[in-house]
Amino acid sequence: MKTTSIILSILLLSSCYTYKAFDPEEYALEMSKGNNQTANSNERSRSRADIVELRRERKSPNENAISSSLSESKEELAALKAKKQENKEEKVVIDPSTIKISDVIKPDQFYKVDAQGKEYTIEAKQWKADTLYAVVKGTEKELKFHKNDISSFKIRKFSKGKSDALTVAAYAMGGAAVLFLLK
């Protein structure tokens, strides 16, 4: 019974979030993927509008509607394939050395910051010029960090693996409890 309560308390107190050290190259890659996705969606909406416009222009009243739509769709598919190949070649590349700390640390998110030899778990509140105003997690103590004082920081991220492990453990404990109660 004692070990069950210890395991249960560990499961309840553990979090699915982990702190991951900031990697500028990984961040640049994520940013470039985000830029490509928005650029691709804009291109798709433009290409759809172009297709509709081309269909309207090409239709003549004398042509058979079925044969014209088949030929148009083949031409449009070829044009779309060409545009997709161009988009793949035009990937946005972000240089990791140009990333600013104020762009990475965003308000109302949690971070572990190493400043002046101490590590703080903070919730970022706002940036004023080069100073980060933050609240230490678990207290109401507000701290100010100049961007040059922050030597390293870790970003809080959701860990799917940890979440899955906690879910499996919770189901296993629930099943064991049901079996225990049935006997």
Side-chain angles (χ1 to χ4, degrees):
M1 184 69 178
K2 191 174 188 180
T3 58
T4 306
S5 62
I6 291 173
I7 292 173
L8 184 61
S9 63
I10 289 172
L11 285 176
L12 292 174
L13 295 176
S14 60
S15 174
C16 295
Y17 289 95
T18 58
Y19 288 92
K20 186 176 179 184
F22 175 71
D23 184 15
E25 293 172 0
E26 183 179 315
Y27 182 77
L29 186 68
E30 286 177 12
M31 293 300 294
S32 65
K33 282 183 182 177
N35 290 341
N36 281 341
Q37 288 175 353
T38 56
N40 288 341
S41 64
N42 290 339
E43 285 295 321
R44 277 188 239 125
S45 62
R46 280 191 228 134
S47 64
R48 287 181 189 148
D50 292 341
I51 290 171
V52 171
E53 189 175 316
L54 285 172
R55 283 184 181 172
R56 288 181 189 157
E57 290 174 0
R58 290 182 184 170
K59 281 190 177 180
S60 66
N62 297 334
E63 291 182 5
N64 185 359
I66 296 173
S67 63
S68 65
S69 65
L70 287 175
S71 63
E72 287 175 6
S73 63
K74 289 178 184 177
E75 292 171 4
E76 291 164 1
L77 285 174
L80 284 175
K81 287 180 183 177
K83 283 185 179 182
K84 285 181 183 178
Q85 289 176 351
E86 289 174 6
N87 286 341
K88 287 179 183 177
E89 294 170 1
E90 296 177 8
K91 290 188 177 178
V92 179
V93 178
I94 298 174
D95 184 21
S97 63
T98 61
I99 298 173
K100 297 178 186 175
I101 192 170
S102 59
D103 293 337
V104 178
I105 297 180
K106 296 177 177 104
D108 299 324
Q109 293 186 2
F110 292 96
Y111 300 93
K112 279 192 180 179
V113 176
D114 188 23
Q116 300 172 351
K118 289 186 177 180
E119 185 174 84
Y120 301 96
T121 303
I122 62 164
E123 180 182 3
K125 289 298 179 187
Q126 67 180 351
W127 282 96
K128 287 186 181 176
D130 290 342
T131 305
L132 172 66
Y133 289 83
V135 175
V136 176
K137 187 175 178 183
T139 66
E140 297 296 321
K141 185 178 177 184
E142 186 172 314
L143 298 175
K144 300 176 188 177
F145 300 101
H146 190 270
K147 71 176 186 177
N148 295 335
D149 292 341
I150 300 172
S151 58
S152 67
F153 61 95
K154 296 178 182 177
I155 300 173
R156 181 181 174 198
K157 292 201 175 194
F158 183 78
S159 172
K160 186 171 178 357
K162 202 171 184 182
S163 169
D164 292 344
L166 286 173
T167 303
V168 168
Y171 279 123
M173 288 195 56
V178 167
L179 286 175
F180 180 72
L181 290 173
L182 290 176
K183 286 187 177 183

